[in-house]
mmCIF file of all heavy atoms in Angstrom:
data_model
loop_
_atom_site.group_PDB
_atom_site.id
_atom_site.type_symbol
_atom_site.label_atom_id
_atom_site.label_comp_id
_atom_site.label_asym_id
_atom_site.label_seq_id
_atom_site.Cartn_x
_atom_site.Cartn_y
_atom_site.Cartn_z
ATOM 1 N N GLY A 212 73.682 125.645 93.467
ATOM 2 C CA GLY A 212 72.797 124.536 93.730
ATOM 3 C C GLY A 212 72.525 123.668 92.519
ATOM 4 O O GLY A 212 72.009 122.557 92.666
ATOM 5 N N ASP A 213 72.856 124.164 91.337
ATOM 6 C CA ASP A 213 72.639 123.402 90.107
ATOM 7 C C ASP A 213 73.716 122.347 89.911
ATOM 8 O O ASP A 213 74.698 122.278 90.654
ATOM 9 C CB ASP A 213 72.614 124.342 88.903
ATOM 10 C CG ASP A 213 71.343 125.154 88.822
ATOM 11 O OD1 ASP A 213 70.411 124.895 89.591
ATOM 12 O OD2 ASP A 213 71.296 126.066 87.967
ATOM 13 N N SER A 214 73.536 121.521 88.880
ATOM 14 C CA SER A 214 74.477 120.466 88.535
ATOM 15 C C SER A 214 75.002 120.658 87.124
ATOM 16 O O SER A 214 74.354 121.277 86.279
ATOM 17 C CB SER A 214 73.810 119.091 88.650
ATOM 18 O OG SER A 214 73.399 118.824 89.970
ATOM 19 N N LEU A 215 76.174 120.096 86.877
ATOM 20 C CA LEU A 215 76.809 120.197 85.575
ATOM 21 C C LEU A 215 77.725 118.994 85.394
ATOM 22 O O LEU A 215 78.339 118.538 86.365
ATOM 23 C CB LEU A 215 77.608 121.494 85.485
ATOM 24 C CG LEU A 215 77.939 122.086 84.110
ATOM 25 C CD1 LEU A 215 76.656 122.434 83.362
ATOM 26 C CD2 LEU A 215 78.806 123.321 84.279
ATOM 27 N N ARG A 216 77.815 118.472 84.177
ATOM 28 C CA ARG A 216 78.726 117.370 83.902
ATOM 29 C C ARG A 216 79.746 117.783 82.855
ATOM 30 O O ARG A 216 79.389 118.178 81.743
ATOM 31 C CB ARG A 216 77.980 116.125 83.418
ATOM 32 C CG ARG A 216 78.900 114.900 83.312
ATOM 33 C CD ARG A 216 78.174 113.645 82.911
ATOM 34 N NE ARG A 216 77.858 113.614 81.492
ATOM 35 C CZ ARG A 216 77.526 112.523 80.817
ATOM 36 N NH1 ARG A 216 77.463 111.355 81.454
ATOM 37 N NH2 ARG A 216 77.225 112.590 79.528
ATOM 38 N N LEU A 217 81.011 117.673 83.213
ATOM 39 C CA LEU A 217 82.098 117.952 82.301
ATOM 40 C C LEU A 217 82.580 116.661 81.654
ATOM 41 O O LEU A 217 82.558 115.604 82.277
ATOM 42 C CB LEU A 217 83.265 118.616 83.019
ATOM 43 C CG LEU A 217 82.959 119.894 83.808
ATOM 44 C CD1 LEU A 217 84.240 120.445 84.412
ATOM 45 C CD2 LEU A 217 82.284 120.926 82.916
ATOM 46 N N SER A 218 83.015 116.756 80.407
ATOM 47 C CA SER A 218 83.541 115.610 79.681
ATOM 48 C C SER A 218 84.953 115.904 79.206
ATOM 49 O O SER A 218 85.279 117.039 78.864
ATOM 50 C CB SER A 218 82.654 115.277 78.474
ATOM 51 O OG SER A 218 81.351 114.924 78.877
ATOM 52 N N CYS A 219 85.769 114.876 79.176
ATOM 53 C CA CYS A 219 87.132 114.965 78.669
ATOM 54 C C CYS A 219 87.327 113.840 77.673
ATOM 55 O O CYS A 219 87.430 112.671 78.063
ATOM 56 C CB CYS A 219 88.140 114.867 79.818
ATOM 57 S SG CYS A 219 89.863 114.858 79.286
ATOM 58 N N ALA A 220 87.368 114.184 76.396
ATOM 59 C CA ALA A 220 87.509 113.199 75.331
ATOM 60 C C ALA A 220 88.966 113.094 74.902
ATOM 61 O O ALA A 220 89.623 114.106 74.660
ATOM 62 C CB ALA A 220 86.635 113.574 74.137
ATOM 63 N N ALA A 221 89.455 111.867 74.794
ATOM 64 C CA ALA A 221 90.845 111.624 74.415
ATOM 65 C C ALA A 221 90.937 111.134 72.980
ATOM 66 O O ALA A 221 90.040 110.459 72.475
ATOM 67 C CB ALA A 221 91.481 110.602 75.346
ATOM 68 N N SER A 222 92.034 111.482 72.326
ATOM 69 C CA SER A 222 92.317 111.000 70.986
ATOM 70 C C SER A 222 93.818 110.769 70.856
ATOM 71 O O SER A 222 94.600 111.230 71.679
ATOM 72 C CB SER A 222 91.837 111.991 69.922
ATOM 73 O OG SER A 222 92.511 113.232 70.042
ATOM 74 N N GLY A 223 94.210 110.060 69.829
ATOM 75 C CA GLY A 223 95.620 109.753 69.625
ATOM 76 C C GLY A 223 96.034 108.466 70.320
ATOM 77 O O GLY A 223 96.756 107.649 69.742
ATOM 78 N N ARG A 224 95.605 108.287 71.546
ATOM 79 C CA ARG A 224 95.834 107.082 72.335
ATOM 80 C C ARG A 224 94.567 106.747 73.110
ATOM 81 O O ARG A 224 93.743 107.634 73.369
ATOM 82 C CB ARG A 224 97.003 107.260 73.315
ATOM 83 C CG ARG A 224 98.346 107.568 72.676
ATOM 84 C CD ARG A 224 98.870 106.380 71.899
ATOM 85 N NE ARG A 224 100.165 106.649 71.291
ATOM 86 C CZ ARG A 224 101.330 106.393 71.853
ATOM 87 N NH1 ARG A 224 101.384 105.836 73.059
ATOM 88 N NH2 ARG A 224 102.459 106.686 71.218
ATOM 89 N N THR A 225 94.421 105.498 73.486
ATOM 90 C CA THR A 225 93.263 105.102 74.273
ATOM 91 C C THR A 225 93.414 105.618 75.696
ATOM 92 O O THR A 225 94.480 105.502 76.305
ATOM 93 C CB THR A 225 93.096 103.578 74.292
ATOM 94 O OG1 THR A 225 94.298 102.966 74.779
ATOM 95 C CG2 THR A 225 92.805 103.060 72.898
ATOM 96 N N PHE A 226 92.345 106.203 76.228
ATOM 97 C CA PHE A 226 92.375 106.801 77.546
ATOM 98 C C PHE A 226 92.602 105.756 78.630
ATOM 99 O O PHE A 226 93.096 106.072 79.714
ATOM 100 C CB PHE A 226 91.072 107.553 77.815
ATOM 101 C CG PHE A 226 91.245 108.813 78.628
ATOM 102 C CD1 PHE A 226 90.361 109.868 78.477
ATOM 103 C CD2 PHE A 226 92.278 108.948 79.538
ATOM 104 C CE1 PHE A 226 90.498 111.026 79.216
ATOM 105 C CE2 PHE A 226 92.435 110.107 80.283
ATOM 106 C CZ PHE A 226 91.530 111.148 80.119
ATOM 107 N N SER A 227 92.254 104.507 78.358
ATOM 108 C CA SER A 227 92.423 103.455 79.354
ATOM 109 C C SER A 227 93.885 103.201 79.696
ATOM 110 O O SER A 227 94.178 102.542 80.694
ATOM 111 C CB SER A 227 91.765 102.156 78.889
ATOM 112 O OG SER A 227 92.348 101.689 77.685
ATOM 113 N N ASN A 228 94.804 103.709 78.898
ATOM 114 C CA ASN A 228 96.224 103.579 79.185
ATOM 115 C C ASN A 228 96.705 104.582 80.226
ATOM 116 O O ASN A 228 97.864 104.523 80.639
ATOM 117 C CB ASN A 228 97.049 103.754 77.910
ATOM 118 C CG ASN A 228 96.894 102.597 76.951
ATOM 119 O OD1 ASN A 228 96.710 101.456 77.370
ATOM 120 N ND2 ASN A 228 96.974 102.876 75.657
ATOM 121 N N TYR A 229 95.833 105.481 80.644
ATOM 122 C CA TYR A 229 96.214 106.555 81.542
ATOM 123 C C TYR A 229 95.239 106.693 82.699
ATOM 124 O O TYR A 229 94.038 106.447 82.551
ATOM 125 C CB TYR A 229 96.255 107.895 80.799
ATOM 126 C CG TYR A 229 97.109 107.892 79.561
ATOM 127 C CD1 TYR A 229 96.558 107.551 78.333
ATOM 128 C CD2 TYR A 229 98.451 108.238 79.620
ATOM 129 C CE1 TYR A 229 97.338 107.542 77.188
ATOM 130 C CE2 TYR A 229 99.230 108.235 78.482
ATOM 131 C CZ TYR A 229 98.670 107.884 77.269
ATOM 132 O OH TYR A 229 99.447 107.892 76.135
ATOM 133 N N ALA A 230 95.757 107.114 83.844
ATOM 134 C CA ALA A 230 94.883 107.619 84.886
ATOM 135 C C ALA A 230 94.340 108.974 84.431
ATOM 136 O O ALA A 230 94.979 109.673 83.648
ATOM 137 C CB ALA A 230 95.636 107.757 86.206
ATOM 138 N N GLY A 231 93.155 109.346 84.904
ATOM 139 C CA GLY A 231 92.542 110.608 84.525
ATOM 140 C C GLY A 231 92.318 111.507 85.724
ATOM 141 O O GLY A 231 92.073 111.023 86.828
ATOM 142 N N GLY A 232 92.392 112.812 85.492
ATOM 143 C CA GLY A 232 92.211 113.737 86.597
ATOM 144 C C GLY A 232 91.626 115.061 86.142
ATOM 145 O O GLY A 232 91.632 115.387 84.954
ATOM 146 N N TRP A 233 91.102 115.801 87.116
ATOM 147 C CA TRP A 233 90.568 117.134 86.884
ATOM 148 C C TRP A 233 91.223 118.124 87.831
ATOM 149 O O TRP A 233 91.384 117.840 89.025
ATOM 150 C CB TRP A 233 89.051 117.174 87.077
ATOM 151 C CG TRP A 233 88.273 116.482 86.002
ATOM 152 C CD1 TRP A 233 87.841 115.193 85.999
ATOM 153 C CD2 TRP A 233 87.830 117.059 84.772
ATOM 154 N NE1 TRP A 233 87.154 114.925 84.841
ATOM 155 C CE2 TRP A 233 87.132 116.057 84.067
ATOM 156 C CE3 TRP A 233 87.949 118.326 84.198
ATOM 157 C CZ2 TRP A 233 86.556 116.281 82.815
ATOM 158 C CZ3 TRP A 233 87.384 118.548 82.960
ATOM 159 C CH2 TRP A 233 86.697 117.532 82.277
ATOM 160 N N PHE A 234 91.569 119.283 87.292
ATOM 161 C CA PHE A 234 92.101 120.399 88.058
ATOM 162 C C PHE A 234 91.283 121.636 87.715
ATOM 163 O O PHE A 234 90.562 121.660 86.720
ATOM 164 C CB PHE A 234 93.577 120.648 87.731
ATOM 165 C CG PHE A 234 94.506 119.572 88.204
ATOM 166 C CD1 PHE A 234 94.557 118.346 87.569
ATOM 167 C CD2 PHE A 234 95.344 119.792 89.293
ATOM 168 C CE1 PHE A 234 95.413 117.348 87.995
ATOM 169 C CE2 PHE A 234 96.210 118.800 89.732
ATOM 170 C CZ PHE A 234 96.246 117.581 89.085
ATOM 171 N N ARG A 235 91.398 122.659 88.546
ATOM 172 C CA ARG A 235 90.709 123.907 88.249
ATOM 173 C C ARG A 235 91.561 125.090 88.685
ATOM 174 O O ARG A 235 92.399 124.979 89.573
ATOM 175 C CB ARG A 235 89.336 123.964 88.926
ATOM 176 C CG ARG A 235 89.376 124.009 90.449
ATOM 177 C CD ARG A 235 87.978 123.905 91.022
ATOM 178 N NE ARG A 235 87.959 124.021 92.462
ATOM 179 C CZ ARG A 235 86.876 123.871 93.210
ATOM 180 N NH1 ARG A 235 85.699 123.595 92.644
ATOM 181 N NH2 ARG A 235 86.944 124.005 94.533
ATOM 182 N N GLN A 236 91.321 126.226 88.032
ATOM 183 C CA GLN A 236 92.052 127.435 88.351
ATOM 184 C C GLN A 236 91.113 128.629 88.304
ATOM 185 O O GLN A 236 90.545 128.938 87.255
ATOM 186 C CB GLN A 236 93.218 127.648 87.387
ATOM 187 C CG GLN A 236 94.119 128.809 87.766
ATOM 188 C CD GLN A 236 95.402 128.825 86.958
ATOM 189 O OE1 GLN A 236 95.473 128.276 85.865
ATOM 190 N NE2 GLN A 236 96.431 129.448 87.509
ATOM 191 N N ALA A 237 90.945 129.283 89.441
ATOM 192 C CA ALA A 237 90.139 130.486 89.535
ATOM 193 C C ALA A 237 91.014 131.707 89.286
ATOM 194 O O ALA A 237 92.235 131.647 89.474
ATOM 195 C CB ALA A 237 89.476 130.577 90.906
ATOM 196 N N PRO A 238 90.430 132.834 88.875
ATOM 197 C CA PRO A 238 91.220 134.039 88.619
ATOM 198 C C PRO A 238 92.040 134.456 89.832
ATOM 199 O O PRO A 238 91.519 134.537 90.948
ATOM 200 C CB PRO A 238 90.160 135.089 88.282
ATOM 201 C CG PRO A 238 89.015 134.304 87.740
ATOM 202 C CD PRO A 238 89.006 133.040 88.551
ATOM 203 N N GLY A 239 93.323 134.694 89.617
ATOM 204 C CA GLY A 239 94.201 135.135 90.679
ATOM 205 C C GLY A 239 94.638 134.054 91.646
ATOM 206 O O GLY A 239 95.289 134.359 92.648
ATOM 207 N N LYS A 240 94.289 132.793 91.370
ATOM 208 C CA LYS A 240 94.646 131.702 92.261
ATOM 209 C C LYS A 240 95.468 130.647 91.530
ATOM 210 O O LYS A 240 95.483 130.581 90.308
ATOM 211 C CB LYS A 240 93.394 131.059 92.856
ATOM 212 C CG LYS A 240 92.594 131.975 93.765
ATOM 213 C CD LYS A 240 91.443 131.235 94.417
ATOM 214 C CE LYS A 240 90.686 132.125 95.373
ATOM 215 N NZ LYS A 240 89.571 131.400 96.031
ATOM 216 N N GLU A 241 96.137 129.816 92.310
ATOM 217 C CA GLU A 241 96.920 128.724 91.754
ATOM 218 C C GLU A 241 96.000 127.607 91.273
ATOM 219 O O GLU A 241 94.885 127.440 91.765
ATOM 220 C CB GLU A 241 97.885 128.181 92.802
ATOM 221 C CG GLU A 241 98.903 129.187 93.312
ATOM 222 C CD GLU A 241 99.957 129.511 92.282
ATOM 223 O OE1 GLU A 241 100.216 128.655 91.407
ATOM 224 O OE2 GLU A 241 100.514 130.608 92.334
ATOM 225 N N ARG A 242 96.484 126.840 90.308
ATOM 226 C CA ARG A 242 95.737 125.680 89.854
ATOM 227 C C ARG A 242 95.689 124.648 90.979
ATOM 228 O O ARG A 242 96.703 124.361 91.613
ATOM 229 C CB ARG A 242 96.392 125.085 88.609
ATOM 230 C CG ARG A 242 95.628 123.913 88.021
ATOM 231 C CD ARG A 242 96.260 123.431 86.731
ATOM 232 N NE ARG A 242 96.259 124.460 85.706
ATOM 233 C CZ ARG A 242 96.599 124.244 84.438
ATOM 234 N NH1 ARG A 242 96.952 123.033 84.049
ATOM 235 N NH2 ARG A 242 96.585 125.247 83.574
ATOM 236 N N GLU A 243 94.507 124.089 91.230
ATOM 237 C CA GLU A 243 94.346 123.145 92.316
ATOM 238 C C GLU A 243 93.747 121.829 91.834
ATOM 239 O O GLU A 243 92.968 121.781 90.878
ATOM 240 C CB GLU A 243 93.469 123.730 93.432
ATOM 241 C CG GLU A 243 92.032 123.991 93.022
ATOM 242 C CD GLU A 243 91.162 124.461 94.176
ATOM 243 O OE1 GLU A 243 91.600 124.350 95.347
ATOM 244 O OE2 GLU A 243 90.050 124.940 93.924
ATOM 245 N N PHE A 244 94.095 120.769 92.527
ATOM 246 C CA PHE A 244 93.586 119.441 92.236
ATOM 247 C C PHE A 244 92.128 119.325 92.625
ATOM 248 O O PHE A 244 91.708 119.848 93.661
ATOM 249 C CB PHE A 244 94.413 118.403 92.999
ATOM 250 C CG PHE A 244 93.847 117.018 92.951
ATOM 251 C CD1 PHE A 244 94.057 116.204 91.854
ATOM 252 C CD2 PHE A 244 93.098 116.527 94.007
ATOM 253 C CE1 PHE A 244 93.540 114.922 91.805
ATOM 254 C CE2 PHE A 244 92.576 115.252 93.980
ATOM 255 C CZ PHE A 244 92.798 114.449 92.870
ATOM 256 N N VAL A 245 91.344 118.623 91.801
ATOM 257 C CA VAL A 245 89.926 118.417 92.072
ATOM 258 C C VAL A 245 89.613 116.945 92.308
ATOM 259 O O VAL A 245 89.066 116.578 93.346
ATOM 260 C CB VAL A 245 89.046 118.953 90.925
ATOM 261 C CG1 VAL A 245 87.575 118.626 91.183
ATOM 262 C CG2 VAL A 245 89.240 120.449 90.761
ATOM 263 N N ALA A 246 89.963 116.087 91.347
ATOM 264 C CA ALA A 246 89.635 114.668 91.450
ATOM 265 C C ALA A 246 90.485 113.866 90.487
ATOM 266 O O ALA A 246 90.983 114.389 89.492
ATOM 267 C CB ALA A 246 88.144 114.429 91.163
ATOM 268 N N ALA A 247 90.637 112.567 90.761
ATOM 269 C CA ALA A 247 91.393 111.682 89.885
ATOM 270 C C ALA A 247 90.829 110.276 89.955
ATOM 271 O O ALA A 247 90.202 109.885 90.948
ATOM 272 C CB ALA A 247 92.877 111.678 90.258
ATOM 273 N N ILE A 248 91.064 109.497 88.895
ATOM 274 C CA ILE A 248 90.584 108.125 88.813
ATOM 275 C C ILE A 248 91.640 107.269 88.126
ATOM 276 O O ILE A 248 92.285 107.703 87.174
ATOM 277 C CB ILE A 248 89.227 108.061 88.060
ATOM 278 C CG1 ILE A 248 88.653 106.646 88.078
ATOM 279 C CG2 ILE A 248 89.387 108.570 86.623
ATOM 280 C CD1 ILE A 248 87.210 106.583 87.589
#
C-alpha cells in the first residue's frame, strides 16, 4: 500500500537522445517489462 519513487540517472550521453524504460526481475522468474517513455 505504500509508495516509492525510483530514479535512473544517465551519464556519458544526454538521456533525451534515448527512450527510457523500466524492467523488473523477481527471484526465479524471467525479467519482465514494466513501463517505457
Side-chain angles (χ1 to χ4, degrees):
D213 286 352
S214 298
L215 202 62
R216 188 177 77 163
L217 305 182
S218 298
C219 176
S222 62
R224 300 292 181 92
T225 56
F226 216 152
S227 61
N228 290 327
Y229 307 90
W233 289 93
F234 291 73
R235 66 186 183 185
Q236 187 169 23
K240 295 185 177 181
E241 299 288 334
R242 183 176 298 189
E243 65 175 347
F244 171 81
V245 176
I248 185 169

